């Protein structure tokens, strides 16, 4: 067995220089700032405690740096996988219970084992046979459902539902109970993030910043929304006014433990794990290939299966949730100048430090801010014009 084939780290580590280390370290700082609110938000989206998102952004990032072939792909919780996790676990247990958390850990472990098995069997080529219209439509629909599911947090109302129609009906029934303070925080954060996405970049360039720096600062705007609303919640005691806060997040690194070996639970989650694995792999490979092509690099789909699989297994061992390569964080990592997978390892260290020392401040973070962050992030997933493009290209594909 050629160990070097399964450990891409060995290819670039011998030539790792000071300039690369500086570039990777700068990129890691920027991505860490972006990842903290995203990780918290996606954990809550999946119905899990906020710290689970942080746990899923530590060891998996470091493990992918060893086994993955993309130099700039950033692995962690993502919107679509979080939604699929919530859908898979909802029939088994109530969100927030120990059983629910155990199920998430099993789901990550099972998905990881499936991905690694597919990689060892050299099944990476199957990604070429997956229908692009189907994947595009699935991700678009998921983005719409995710955005709709966050409106209850923006408005501060109780609403539920497993599909778009149920969610909208539930929101319509409870709209009269909107919490004014929550809506002010949620709508304000949402408006700021939308304006920042469209207007901040040209404003920064007009102020004299380089295009690259302006792009990076624009993409890290969510952390400013987090800081401002957290300070407001603390100073104005918004929790007493009905604004739901993230609450106390346990400080400290995750402990390593084997997932539950309940065979019945593994059987129940097998199909969901397979779906999460396939969708996650396609998303990761698409992002990885796009970024690699910009630098005339290549990725190995078979090794990517092993890398993503190992990352998910490590997420299961460290009390995390299913992970995959994220589009927004990978683009930020690329734009920030990351040159090797070491940037991911440095980011893991940054998230670990945040988990150790910054969790007391996270307690005052309004859930409405995280909901706004999710809604703006998933907006990039929604591609309704693809329907028209597919119709012009192929009627069967459109169907």
């Amino acid at each position: 067995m050629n160990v070097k084939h399964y450990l891409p780290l060995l290819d670039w580590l011998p030539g790792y220089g000071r300039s690369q280390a500086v570039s990777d370290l700068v990129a890691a700082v920027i991505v860490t700032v972006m990842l903290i609110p995203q990780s918290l938000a996606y954990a809550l989206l999946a119905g899990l405690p906020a710290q689970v998102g942080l746990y899923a952004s530590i060891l998996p990032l470091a493990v992918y740096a060893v086994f993955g072939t993309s130099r700039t792909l950033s692995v962690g919780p993502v919107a679509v996988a979080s939604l699929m996790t919530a859908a898979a676990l909802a029939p088994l247990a109530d969100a927030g219970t120990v059983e629910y958390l155990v199920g998430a850990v099993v789901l990550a472990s099972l998905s990881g084992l499936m991905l690694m098995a597919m990689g060892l069997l050299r099944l990476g080529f199957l990604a070429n046979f997956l229908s692009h219209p189907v994947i595009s439509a699935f991700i678009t629909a998921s983005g719409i459902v995710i955005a709709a599911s966050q409106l209850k947090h923006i408005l501060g109302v109780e609403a539920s539902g497993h599909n778009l129609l149920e969610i909208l009906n539930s929101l319509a029934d409870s709209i009269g109970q909107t919490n004014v303070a929550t809506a002010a925080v949620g709508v304000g954060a949402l408006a700021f993030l939308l304006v920042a996405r469209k207007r901040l970049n040209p404003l920064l360039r007009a102020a004299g910043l380089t295009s690259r720096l302006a792009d990076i600062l624009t993409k890290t705007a969510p952390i400013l929304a987090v800081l401002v609303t957290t300070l407001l919640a603390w100073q104005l005691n918004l929790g007493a006014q009905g604004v739901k806060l993230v609450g106390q997040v346990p400080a400290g690194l995750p402990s390593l433990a084997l997932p539950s070996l309940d065979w019945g639970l593994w059987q129940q989650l097998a199909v969901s794990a397979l779906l999460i694995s396939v969708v996650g792999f396609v998303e990761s490979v698409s992002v990885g290939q796009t970024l690699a092509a910009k630098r005339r690099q290549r990725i190995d789909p078979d090794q990517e299966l092993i890398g993503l699989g190992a990352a998910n297994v490590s997420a299961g061992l460290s009390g995390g949730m299913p992970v995959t390569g994220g589009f927004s964080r990978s683009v930020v990592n690329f734009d920030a100048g990351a040159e090797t997978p070491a940037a991911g390892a440095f980011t893991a260290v940054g998230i670990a430090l945040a988990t150790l020392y910054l969790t007391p401040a996270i307690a005052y973070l309004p859930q409405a801010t995280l909901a706004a962050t999710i809604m703006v992030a998933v907006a990039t997933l929604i591609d309704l014009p693809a329907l028209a493009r597919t119709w012009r290209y192929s009627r069967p594909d459109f169907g």
Side-chain angles (χ1 to χ4, degrees):
M1 181 180 70
N2 186 354
V3 176
K4 198 170 184 178
H5 175 76
Y6 295 103
L7 295 178
L9 173 76
L10 299 178
D11 285 329
W12 57 264
L13 193 55
Y16 194 58
R18 179 179 297 179
S19 62
Q20 288 177 313
V22 171
S23 297
D24 288 343
L25 193 55
V26 170
V29 171
I30 295 170
V31 175
T32 298
V33 170
M34 177 186 179
L35 262 184
I36 292 172
Q38 272 198 1
S39 300
L40 297 169
Y42 292 146
L44 294 177
L45 174 61
L48 295 162
Q51 67 269 20
V52 174
L54 295 175
Y55 296 165
S57 301
I58 300 175
L59 193 56
L61 269 169
V63 169
Y64 180 80
V66 176
F67 292 96
T69 59
S70 172
R71 297 193 172 202
T72 51
L73 190 69
S74 182
V75 172
V78 299
V80 175
S82 298
L83 179 67
M84 295 177 74
T85 297
L89 299 178
L92 304 181
D94 293 330
T97 62
V98 174
E99 292 78 10
Y100 195 93
L101 179 57
V102 169
V105 169
V106 169
L107 198 58
S109 303
L110 186 53
S111 176
L113 292 173
M114 287 179 173
L115 286 165
M116 291 181 71
M118 287 189 284
L120 293 172
L121 293 173
R122 308 260 184 191
L123 298 182
F125 71 93
L126 293 177
N128 299 325
F129 296 96
L130 294 172
S131 169
H132 176 73
V134 170
I135 296 298
S136 174
F138 174 80
I139 292 177
T140 292
S142 297
I144 293 172
V145 172
I146 290 169
S149 71
Q150 297 307 296
L151 288 173
K152 64 180 180 182
H153 299 300
I154 295 288
L155 301 176
V157 299
E158 296 294 332
S160 60
H162 297 294
N163 57 58
L164 185 62
L165 184 60
E166 290 180 0
I167 292 171
L168 294 179
N169 283 336
S170 183
L171 285 169
D173 292 338
S174 58
I175 194 71
Q177 285 77 47
T178 298
N179 182 280
V180 177
T182 300
V185 172
V187 175
L190 185 61
F192 166 73
L193 292 173
L194 289 173
V195 171
R197 171 161 288 188
K198 293 186 176 296
R199 303 295 183 188
L200 186 58
N201 192 305
L203 287 175
L204 291 173
R205 283 186 291 175
L209 273 67
T210 63
S211 177
R212 177 181 171 186
L213 184 56
D215 286 340
I216 292 171
L217 291 177
T218 299
K219 289 184 173 71
T220 56
I223 199 65
L224 181 58
V226 166
L227 291 173
V228 171
T229 55
T230 299
L231 287 172
L232 287 174
W234 176 43
Q235 290 292 326
L236 302 179
N237 195 21
L238 294 181
Q241 301 177 42
V243 177
K244 289 188 177 180
L245 308 178
V246 170
Q248 194 64 41
V249 176
L253 298 177
S255 57
L256 299 180
L258 289 174
S260 169
L261 299 179
D262 182 349
W263 177 242
L265 180 60
W266 285 62
Q267 285 182 308
Q268 286 179 291
L269 294 174
V271 175
S272 297
L274 180 61
L275 292 174
I276 290 174
S277 300
V278 172
V279 172
F281 170 62
V282 171
E283 182 178 356
S284 296
V285 168
S286 299
V287 176
Q289 287 178 335
T290 300
L291 297 180
K294 291 183 178 182
R295 293 181 178 173
R296 298 181 181 274
Q297 298 168 350
R298 297 183 64 184
I299 65 171
D300 180 349
D302 294 324
Q303 186 60 35
E304 282 300 292
L305 282 166
I306 294 174
L308 288 172
N312 274 281
V313 169
S314 68
L317 293 174
S318 56
M321 57 189 285
V323 298
T324 191
F327 175 76
S328 57
R329 66 170 66 101
S330 297
V331 170
V332 170
N333 196 38
F334 180 91
D335 290 342
E339 295 189 27
T340 74
F346 293 151
T347 302
V349 173
I351 299 293
L353 292 174
T355 305
L356 284 170
Y357 301 112
L358 298 182
T359 52
I362 294 173
Y364 292 96
L365 174 59
Q367 291 188 18
T369 303
L370 294 180
T373 301
I374 291 174
M375 292 181 72
V376 174
V378 301
T380 60
L381 302 177
I382 300 172
D383 186 13
L384 293 177
L387 291 170
R389 294 195 301 270
T390 307
W391 172 266
R392 291 193 297 267
Y393 175 74
S394 169
R395 304 296 166 82
D397 279 352
F398 174 85

